[in-house]
Amino acid sequence: MIKTDVLVIGSGIGALSVASELCKYKRKVTIITKGLRKSCNSSLAQGGISVALSDKDDYHWHYEDTMIAGCNLNDSDAVMKLVSTAPNVIREFIKTGMVFDKDENGNIAFGREGAHRLNRIIHAGGDRTGLRVVEQLLRNVTTDVNIVQNEMALELRVKNGKCSGAITKNLKTGEISHYEADYTVLATGGIGQLYPSTSNDVTITGDGMAMAYRAGCKLKNLEFIQFHPTMLTINGKAYGLVSEAVRGAGGILINDKGEKIMEGIHPQKDLAPRDVVSREVYAHYLKGEKIFLDTSAIDNFREKFPTVTEICEEHGVNVDDKMIPVAPGAHFHMGGVEATPEGITNIDGLYAVGEVACTGVHGANRLASNSLLEGLVFGKLLADYIVNTPRKAEEFDDTIPTETLGDLPTKKEIQHQMMKFLGIVRHTGNIHSIIEWFEQYSPDKKFGKLDIVNTPPEKLEIYNMLTAGWLIAKAAEKRKESIGAHYIVND
C-alpha cells in the first residue's frame, strides 16, 4: 500500500494547478500519469487563456459571452465564479514567474477568438500557451509532489460511497500498486481519442469517465462534444490543430473555388461559435470540396504561430503559400463527472477537475480559450477546499471482480463507429444502433467492473473507450433537440 495525502490522476493544467497550490501547505501529493509528465491535452493547447484583464473589458461581458456560446445551458453560478475569479488567479500566476506575450508597449497582448466580443485572449510563446503554462506549473511544484510517469489508473478504490485512492499498473514493469489517499482527484482529460480525427493527446481515451462511472459517480452532459473546425487535414487524415487564434488574427475559411464559406452563415463569420463553423466546414467537406484557411491577411505568420508552422511543414504544407488545408476534428468534451467548481462529486473523497469534470461552466458548447482558464481557476478552488476540509481515508481491502473480457474491437473500429453515429451531425434513427454495437462487448451490457489486475492495460483502455462511447450514446439518445454541439437530424 502506498500512502499519500492527495492522489491526482492526470498531469494536465487542472492536475498541476491543484498540486502547485497544495505545495504551499506542505501536503504530500502524488501525481500519476499514463504517459510522460507532459503527455496531456494542456501541453498541446495552442489557444490562449480568456480572461477579463484588459481595461477595456469586464468579467460580466466574459460571463455573457460564455453563456451565449453554451446556449444558456451553462450553470450560471459556475460561470460567474469562473470569470470573476479569473483575473486575480492569472495575476497571482504571473507573480510565480509565468510570462505572457506582450505588445509593442510592453503590456500583455490580447488576441481575439471565436464568439468573444472583444480581444481578451492572452498567449505565451505565440501558439505554445498550453505548453508554457504546463512548464511553469511544473516549476512551481516542489519536492512534496511525486510525479509517477507511465502509470495507468485501473480502478478507483470506492466502498459505501467513499473513495480512498486507486489501483494502478506501471506500464513499463507491469507492477500493480494500491494507493491510499485522503483525497483522490480525477484530472484525466476528455475523450478525444474515441474519434479518428482529434486534437487530443494519444493518452486521452476516456479512462477517467469510465472509472468514475464504474465507481458510481454521477455524470452530466455527455452528449456535448466540441469539434474544432480547423485540423490540418491532408488526404482525409488529420495531423494536428490549427489554432482558432489564426482566424482571430485574420485567417479566412475558403473552399477550393476561393469562396468564403462563412459569409452569410453567422454574423461573426469565421469567428462564430465552434459548433457553427465546424458544421459548415463539414458540410462542404462532405460535398467533396477542399477547405483551406487563407492566411494572406496575417503578417509574420511564422513568428506568431510557430507550432502551427512546425506541424504544417512537418507534413509538407508550406505556410508561405498562405493556404492551409483543414477539416474538423474532435476537440473538447463539455460533459463528464458532475462536479462543483471546487471539484466535489457525489462520492466522498473523490474530486474532479478540468475536462473530465462537468461543472456546467461550458453548457452545450465551450467558449474558445475557457479550458485552460477552467483548469487554473477551478484547480485552485479545489486545492483551497482540500486545505480547509480535513478528511481521512478509510482502510478496507480491495475486492477484485472476476469478470473477464472476450474479444474486443480495435481502436480504429470504435473511432469509425463514433464518427459515423455520434459525430458532428447525428441522426436520431441511428443512435440506438451504436448503443447495441457497444453492448455486444460488455459481459453484463452495463459496462460494470471486471478483473482489472489480470486484464492487459491495452485491453482495459479499449474497454474504457467502449464504456465512454456507450455512455455518450445513451446521453445523445435522450437529448431529443439540437442544441450547441449536439446537432441532430430527425429521421
PDB file of all heavy atoms in Angstrom, residues 148-173:
ATOM      1  N   VAL A 148       4.604  10.317 -10.961  1.00  0.00           N
ATOM      2  CA  VAL A 148       4.895   8.954 -11.406  1.00  0.00           C
ATOM      3  C   VAL A 148       4.425   8.824 -12.851  1.00  0.00           C
ATOM      4  O   VAL A 148       3.229   8.931 -13.142  1.00  0.00           O
ATOM      5  CB  VAL A 148       4.189   7.910 -10.522  1.00  0.00           C
ATOM      6  CG1 VAL A 148       4.591   6.495 -10.946  1.00  0.00           C
ATOM      7  CG2 VAL A 148       4.519   8.138  -9.054  1.00  0.00           C
ATOM      8  N   GLN A 149       5.364   8.595 -13.759  1.00  0.00           N
ATOM      9  CA  GLN A 149       5.037   8.511 -15.180  1.00  0.00           C
ATOM     10  C   GLN A 149       4.785   7.065 -15.606  1.00  0.00           C
ATOM     11  O   GLN A 149       5.184   6.121 -14.928  1.00  0.00           O
ATOM     12  CB  GLN A 149       6.179   9.108 -16.007  1.00  0.00           C
ATOM     13  CG  GLN A 149       6.491  10.555 -15.650  1.00  0.00           C
ATOM     14  CD  GLN A 149       7.635  11.121 -16.458  1.00  0.00           C
ATOM     15  OE1 GLN A 149       7.424  11.855 -17.405  1.00  0.00           O
ATOM     16  NE2 GLN A 149       8.869  10.803 -16.070  1.00  0.00           N
ATOM     17  N   ASN A 150       4.098   6.899 -16.745  1.00  0.00           N
ATOM     18  CA  ASN A 150       3.779   5.573 -17.294  1.00  0.00           C
ATOM     19  C   ASN A 150       3.027   4.708 -16.280  1.00  0.00           C
ATOM     20  O   ASN A 150       3.243   3.502 -16.187  1.00  0.00           O
ATOM     21  CB  ASN A 150       5.058   4.862 -17.743  1.00  0.00           C
ATOM     22  CG  ASN A 150       5.780   5.625 -18.833  1.00  0.00           C
ATOM     23  OD1 ASN A 150       5.213   5.940 -19.878  1.00  0.00           O
ATOM     24  ND2 ASN A 150       7.043   5.963 -18.579  1.00  0.00           N
ATOM     25  N   GLU A 151       2.148   5.342 -15.531  1.00  0.00           N
ATOM     26  CA  GLU A 151       1.353   4.647 -14.509  1.00  0.00           C
ATOM     27  C   GLU A 151      -0.127   4.818 -14.865  1.00  0.00           C
ATOM     28  O   GLU A 151      -0.641   5.937 -14.874  1.00  0.00           O
ATOM     29  CB  GLU A 151       1.640   5.244 -13.131  1.00  0.00           C
ATOM     30  CG  GLU A 151       1.033   4.476 -11.992  1.00  0.00           C
ATOM     31  CD  GLU A 151       1.937   3.392 -11.438  1.00  0.00           C
ATOM     32  OE1 GLU A 151       3.060   3.195 -11.974  1.00  0.00           O
ATOM     33  OE2 GLU A 151       1.539   2.718 -10.480  1.00  0.00           O
ATOM     34  N   MET A 152      -0.805   3.734 -15.180  1.00  0.00           N
ATOM     35  CA  MET A 152      -2.207   3.797 -15.584  1.00  0.00           C
ATOM     36  C   MET A 152      -3.118   3.490 -14.398  1.00  0.00           C
ATOM     37  O   MET A 152      -2.954   2.462 -13.728  1.00  0.00           O
ATOM     38  CB  MET A 152      -2.487   2.806 -16.714  1.00  0.00           C
ATOM     39  CG  MET A 152      -3.927   2.838 -17.213  1.00  0.00           C
ATOM     40  SD  MET A 152      -4.188   1.703 -18.593  1.00  0.00           S
ATOM     41  CE  MET A 152      -5.958   1.936 -18.883  1.00  0.00           C
ATOM     42  N   ALA A 153      -4.052   4.362 -14.138  1.00  0.00           N
ATOM     43  CA  ALA A 153      -5.066   4.086 -13.115  1.00  0.00           C
ATOM     44  C   ALA A 153      -6.031   3.048 -13.666  1.00  0.00           C
ATOM     45  O   ALA A 153      -6.590   3.224 -14.756  1.00  0.00           O
ATOM     46  CB  ALA A 153      -5.797   5.363 -12.740  1.00  0.00           C
ATOM     47  N   LEU A 154      -6.212   1.974 -12.920  1.00  0.00           N
ATOM     48  CA  LEU A 154      -7.095   0.890 -13.355  1.00  0.00           C
ATOM     49  C   LEU A 154      -8.500   1.046 -12.784  1.00  0.00           C
ATOM     50  O   LEU A 154      -9.492   0.841 -13.483  1.00  0.00           O
ATOM     51  CB  LEU A 154      -6.526  -0.465 -12.930  1.00  0.00           C
ATOM     52  CG  LEU A 154      -5.088  -0.778 -13.346  1.00  0.00           C
ATOM     53  CD1 LEU A 154      -4.688  -2.152 -12.805  1.00  0.00           C
ATOM     54  CD2 LEU A 154      -4.930  -0.732 -14.851  1.00  0.00           C
ATOM     55  N   GLU A 155      -8.576   1.397 -11.508  1.00  0.00           N
ATOM     56  CA  GLU A 155      -9.869   1.488 -10.838  1.00  0.00           C
ATOM     57  C   GLU A 155      -9.742   2.364  -9.599  1.00  0.00           C
ATOM     58  O   GLU A 155      -8.688   2.398  -8.937  1.00  0.00           O
ATOM     59  CB  GLU A 155     -10.329   0.084 -10.416  1.00  0.00           C
ATOM     60  CG  GLU A 155     -11.825  -0.053 -10.269  1.00  0.00           C
ATOM     61  CD  GLU A 155     -12.540  -0.185 -11.615  1.00  0.00           C
ATOM     62  OE1 GLU A 155     -12.568   0.817 -12.370  1.00  0.00           O
ATOM     63  OE2 GLU A 155     -13.062  -1.277 -11.913  1.00  0.00           O
ATOM     64  N   LEU A 156     -10.824   3.059  -9.273  1.00  0.00           N
ATOM     65  CA  LEU A 156     -10.883   3.833  -8.044  1.00  0.00           C
ATOM     66  C   LEU A 156     -11.229   2.913  -6.880  1.00  0.00           C
ATOM     67  O   LEU A 156     -12.033   1.986  -7.033  1.00  0.00           O
ATOM     68  CB  LEU A 156     -11.934   4.944  -8.177  1.00  0.00           C
ATOM     69  CG  LEU A 156     -11.644   5.995  -9.250  1.00  0.00           C
ATOM     70  CD1 LEU A 156     -12.892   6.830  -9.526  1.00  0.00           C
ATOM     71  CD2 LEU A 156     -10.488   6.886  -8.833  1.00  0.00           C
ATOM     72  N   ARG A 157     -10.647   3.176  -5.736  1.00  0.00           N
ATOM     73  CA  ARG A 157     -10.934   2.379  -4.539  1.00  0.00           C
ATOM     74  C   ARG A 157     -12.129   3.018  -3.829  1.00  0.00           C
ATOM     75  O   ARG A 157     -11.977   3.960  -3.052  1.00  0.00           O
ATOM     76  CB  ARG A 157      -9.719   2.323  -3.621  1.00  0.00           C
ATOM     77  CG  ARG A 157      -8.487   1.739  -4.268  1.00  0.00           C
ATOM     78  CD  ARG A 157      -7.267   1.779  -3.355  1.00  0.00           C
ATOM     79  NE  ARG A 157      -7.374   0.813  -2.274  1.00  0.00           N
ATOM     80  CZ  ARG A 157      -7.316   1.123  -0.992  1.00  0.00           C
ATOM     81  NH1 ARG A 157      -7.185   2.383  -0.609  1.00  0.00           N
ATOM     82  NH2 ARG A 157      -7.402   0.186  -0.071  1.00  0.00           N
ATOM     83  N   VAL A 158     -13.316   2.528  -4.145  1.00  0.00           N
ATOM     84  CA  VAL A 158     -14.555   3.108  -3.609  1.00  0.00           C
ATOM     85  C   VAL A 158     -15.370   2.020  -2.921  1.00  0.00           C
ATOM     86  O   VAL A 158     -15.567   0.935  -3.465  1.00  0.00           O
ATOM     87  CB  VAL A 158     -15.391   3.757  -4.728  1.00  0.00           C
ATOM     88  CG1 VAL A 158     -16.744   4.220  -4.201  1.00  0.00           C
ATOM     89  CG2 VAL A 158     -14.645   4.946  -5.326  1.00  0.00           C
ATOM     90  N   LYS A 159     -15.833   2.358  -1.716  1.00  0.00           N
ATOM     91  CA  LYS A 159     -16.696   1.441  -0.971  1.00  0.00           C
ATOM     92  C   LYS A 159     -17.669   2.266  -0.151  1.00  0.00           C
ATOM     93  O   LYS A 159     -17.285   3.247   0.493  1.00  0.00           O
ATOM     94  CB  LYS A 159     -15.858   0.541  -0.060  1.00  0.00           C
ATOM     95  CG  LYS A 159     -16.647  -0.571   0.608  1.00  0.00           C
ATOM     96  CD  LYS A 159     -15.712  -1.505   1.354  1.00  0.00           C
ATOM     97  CE  LYS A 159     -16.470  -2.675   1.975  1.00  0.00           C
ATOM     98  NZ  LYS A 159     -15.546  -3.583   2.691  1.00  0.00           N
ATOM     99  N   ASN A 160     -18.948   1.878  -0.215  1.00  0.00           N
ATOM    100  CA  ASN A 160     -20.006   2.575   0.535  1.00  0.00           C
ATOM    101  C   ASN A 160     -20.025   4.079   0.261  1.00  0.00           C
ATOM    102  O   ASN A 160     -20.183   4.898   1.158  1.00  0.00           O
ATOM    103  CB  ASN A 160     -19.851   2.312   2.043  1.00  0.00           C
ATOM    104  CG  ASN A 160     -19.979   0.849   2.396  1.00  0.00           C
ATOM    105  OD1 ASN A 160     -20.756   0.119   1.772  1.00  0.00           O
ATOM    106  ND2 ASN A 160     -19.218   0.403   3.387  1.00  0.00           N
ATOM    107  N   GLY A 161     -19.795   4.422  -1.016  1.00  0.00           N
ATOM    108  CA  GLY A 161     -19.859   5.825  -1.405  1.00  0.00           C
ATOM    109  C   GLY A 161     -18.689   6.675  -0.972  1.00  0.00           C
ATOM    110  O   GLY A 161     -18.759   7.906  -0.999  1.00  0.00           O
ATOM    111  N   LYS A 162     -17.581   6.021  -0.565  1.00  0.00           N
ATOM    112  CA  LYS A 162     -16.403   6.762  -0.128  1.00  0.00           C
ATOM    113  C   LYS A 162     -15.186   6.281  -0.896  1.00  0.00           C
ATOM    114  O   LYS A 162     -14.999   5.079  -1.100  1.00  0.00           O
ATOM    115  CB  LYS A 162     -16.188   6.591   1.379  1.00  0.00           C
ATOM    116  CG  LYS A 162     -17.315   7.172   2.219  1.00  0.00           C
ATOM    117  CD  LYS A 162     -17.033   7.007   3.704  1.00  0.00           C
ATOM    118  CE  LYS A 162     -18.176   7.625   4.533  1.00  0.00           C
ATOM    119  NZ  LYS A 162     -17.924   7.486   5.991  1.00  0.00           N
ATOM    120  N   CYS A 163     -14.357   7.230  -1.314  1.00  0.00           N
ATOM    121  CA  CYS A 163     -13.160   6.904  -2.092  1.00  0.00           C
ATOM    122  C   CYS A 163     -11.921   7.018  -1.216  1.00  0.00           C
ATOM    123  O   CYS A 163     -11.778   7.973  -0.437  1.00  0.00           O
ATOM    124  CB  CYS A 163     -13.036   7.850  -3.288  1.00  0.00           C
ATOM    125  SG  CYS A 163     -11.647   7.490  -4.385  1.00  0.00           S
ATOM    126  N   SER A 164     -11.005   6.069  -1.381  1.00  0.00           N
ATOM    127  CA  SER A 164      -9.777   6.094  -0.583  1.00  0.00           C
ATOM    128  C   SER A 164      -8.535   5.879  -1.442  1.00  0.00           C
ATOM    129  O   SER A 164      -7.541   5.367  -0.962  1.00  0.00           O
ATOM    130  CB  SER A 164      -9.831   5.039   0.521  1.00  0.00           C
ATOM    131  OG  SER A 164      -9.827   3.744  -0.061  1.00  0.00           O
ATOM    132  N   GLY A 165      -8.620   6.259  -2.733  1.00  0.00           N
ATOM    133  CA  GLY A 165      -7.454   6.115  -3.587  1.00  0.00           C
ATOM    134  C   GLY A 165      -7.750   5.386  -4.875  1.00  0.00           C
ATOM    135  O   GLY A 165      -8.867   5.432  -5.396  1.00  0.00           O
ATOM    136  N   ALA A 166      -6.740   4.672  -5.404  1.00  0.00           N
ATOM    137  CA  ALA A 166      -6.908   3.999  -6.687  1.00  0.00           C
ATOM    138  C   ALA A 166      -5.937   2.833  -6.808  1.00  0.00           C
ATOM    139  O   ALA A 166      -4.917   2.770  -6.105  1.00  0.00           O
ATOM    140  CB  ALA A 166      -6.684   4.981  -7.839  1.00  0.00           C
ATOM    141  N   ILE A 167      -6.268   1.921  -7.713  1.00  0.00           N
ATOM    142  CA  ILE A 167      -5.392   0.812  -8.062  1.00  0.00           C
ATOM    143  C   ILE A 167      -4.773   1.141  -9.407  1.00  0.00           C
ATOM    144  O   ILE A 167      -5.470   1.554 -10.342  1.00  0.00           O
ATOM    145  CB  ILE A 167      -6.169  -0.515  -8.146  1.00  0.00           C
ATOM    146  CG1 ILE A 167      -6.922  -0.775  -6.832  1.00  0.00           C
ATOM    147  CG2 ILE A 167      -5.230  -1.682  -8.462  1.00  0.00           C
ATOM    148  CD1 ILE A 167      -7.896  -1.933  -6.910  1.00  0.00           C
ATOM    149  N   THR A 168      -3.463   0.972  -9.531  1.00  0.00           N
ATOM    150  CA  THR A 168      -2.767   1.367 -10.755  1.00  0.00           C
ATOM    151  C   THR A 168      -1.839   0.252 -11.245  1.00  0.00           C
ATOM    152  O   THR A 168      -1.555  -0.701 -10.529  1.00  0.00           O
ATOM    153  CB  THR A 168      -1.922   2.639 -10.523  1.00  0.00           C
ATOM    154  OG1 THR A 168      -0.810   2.309  -9.675  1.00  0.00           O
ATOM    155  CG2 THR A 168      -2.735   3.745  -9.873  1.00  0.00           C
ATOM    156  N   LYS A 169      -1.382   0.417 -12.483  1.00  0.00           N
ATOM    157  CA  LYS A 169      -0.394  -0.518 -13.041  1.00  0.00           C
ATOM    158  C   LYS A 169       0.692   0.279 -13.753  1.00  0.00           C
ATOM    159  O   LYS A 169       0.395   1.179 -14.549  1.00  0.00           O
ATOM    160  CB  LYS A 169      -1.043  -1.490 -14.020  1.00  0.00           C
ATOM    161  CG  LYS A 169      -0.033  -2.425 -14.710  1.00  0.00           C
ATOM    162  CD  LYS A 169      -0.693  -3.435 -15.629  1.00  0.00           C
ATOM    163  CE  LYS A 169      -1.195  -4.637 -14.856  1.00  0.00           C
ATOM    164  NZ  LYS A 169      -1.635  -5.737 -15.750  1.00  0.00           N
ATOM    165  N   ASN A 170       1.941  -0.058 -13.461  1.00  0.00           N
ATOM    166  CA  ASN A 170       3.053   0.567 -14.156  1.00  0.00           C
ATOM    167  C   ASN A 170       3.173  -0.059 -15.544  1.00  0.00           C
ATOM    168  O   ASN A 170       3.314  -1.276 -15.674  1.00  0.00           O
ATOM    169  CB  ASN A 170       4.353   0.377 -13.373  1.00  0.00           C
ATOM    170  CG  ASN A 170       5.496   1.155 -13.984  1.00  0.00           C
ATOM    171  OD1 ASN A 170       6.021   0.794 -15.030  1.00  0.00           O
ATOM    172  ND2 ASN A 170       5.882   2.241 -13.322  1.00  0.00           N
ATOM    173  N   LEU A 171       3.107   0.773 -16.577  1.00  0.00           N
ATOM    174  CA  LEU A 171       3.078   0.263 -17.940  1.00  0.00           C
ATOM    175  C   LEU A 171       4.446  -0.217 -18.420  1.00  0.00           C
ATOM    176  O   LEU A 171       4.539  -0.875 -19.455  1.00  0.00           O
ATOM    177  CB  LEU A 171       2.539   1.340 -18.885  1.00  0.00           C
ATOM    178  CG  LEU A 171       1.103   1.803 -18.588  1.00  0.00           C
ATOM    179  CD1 LEU A 171       0.669   2.870 -19.580  1.00  0.00           C
ATOM    180  CD2 LEU A 171       0.129   0.633 -18.614  1.00  0.00           C
ATOM    181  N   LYS A 172       5.488   0.090 -17.678  1.00  0.00           N
ATOM    182  CA  LYS A 172       6.824  -0.386 -18.023  1.00  0.00           C
ATOM    183  C   LYS A 172       7.140  -1.716 -17.346  1.00  0.00           C
ATOM    184  O   LYS A 172       7.675  -2.636 -17.963  1.00  0.00           O
ATOM    185  CB  LYS A 172       7.876   0.658 -17.615  1.00  0.00           C
ATOM    186  CG  LYS A 172       7.780   1.976 -18.367  1.00  0.00           C
ATOM    187  CD  LYS A 172       8.222   1.830 -19.809  1.00  0.00           C
ATOM    188  CE  LYS A 172       8.289   3.183 -20.495  1.00  0.00           C
ATOM    189  NZ  LYS A 172       8.690   3.081 -21.918  1.00  0.00           N
ATOM    190  N   THR A 173       6.789  -1.817 -16.062  1.00  0.00           N
ATOM    191  CA  THR A 173       7.155  -3.006 -15.280  1.00  0.00           C
ATOM    192  C   THR A 173       6.003  -3.986 -15.082  1.00  0.00           C
ATOM    193  O   THR A 173       6.226  -5.148 -14.736  1.00  0.00           O
ATOM    194  CB  THR A 173       7.682  -2.592 -13.896  1.00  0.00           C
ATOM    195  OG1 THR A 173       6.599  -1.994 -13.145  1.00  0.00           O
ATOM    196  CG2 THR A 173       8.817  -1.586 -14.021  1.00  0.00           C
TER     197      THR A 173
END
